[in-house]
Amino acid sequence: MEKSKTPLVKWFRAIYLLSHGATAVQIANAIKVTYKTAWLIAHKIRHAIKQIIADTPLTGHVRILESRYGATSFAAQFSTRAVHHPLIAAASVSDDGKMVHVRMARVPASHIFKGIVLKDAYQSFILRHVASDADITATYGLYNFARYKPLYSFSRDAVRYLNQTYCGVGLKHLKSYLDEYSYRHQFASLDQSLAAHLMRQCANRPALPYRQLIKTAA
């Protein structure tokens, strides 16, 4: 928000709207700015969310599995033409079996061999998103029946939400949208206000130039 030409009151309104799942089009209409300005504001807020997530690794009992990003229609599941991109999803699970924090990330091509996600992808993900003292249970393979079903359902719901809301998201910005979806989830069962927490985080972070935003979006 620092050094922005957009009035703070519009920033606060945009943060509130995005915390409730608003798109850039909806934000633009609500705060009376151009779509480009609303898009930039939304991505700067998502960048703050990305930093929050990077600063808070998963702890405790962590479940990890493989999922997919792509078309979610019934026909697409069996189409040979449908393109799907492997994801790794993880969640810290409480003693009563509820997911507390969730992380999702696309698997880079270097960790895929003939369509199969290599175990190196899991190790890389764990180094980036999971605390070193966490108790980890990982299931390998997309069709592993031992996978943690609530987490797999969550990842599919996230992909379905992105497809329905944005008609799909480009791979460059996919991580930011997945982070936003996961960030909203962690506040769903808490008394703390997501909007208030996000406003504090945005206010405490330095301004992000446009070129850096585009560079760090992937």
Side-chain angles (χ1 to χ4, degrees), residues 39-40 44 172 208-218:
W39 186 92
L40 287 172
K44 287 183 178 182
K172 182 175 183 179
L208 184 68
Y210 176 77
R211 288 184 179 179
Q212 186 180 349
L213 173 68
I214 297 302
K215 186 180 296 184
T216 60

Side-chain angles (χ1 to χ4, degrees), residues 67-70 83-87 106-107 112 171 174:
S67 187
R68 286 287 190 274
Y69 173 73
V83 178
H84 294 90
H85 302 277
L87 301 175
R106 181 172 65 92
V107 178
I112 302 172
L171 297 183
L174 178 60

Side-chain angles (χ1 to χ4, degrees), residues 1 6-17 30-31 199:
M1 294 185 290
T6 304
L8 280 177
V9 65
K10 292 191 175 185
W11 268 97
F12 293 148
R13 179 67 173 159
I15 291 171
Y16 175 84
L17 291 169
I31 67 175
M199 284 183 188

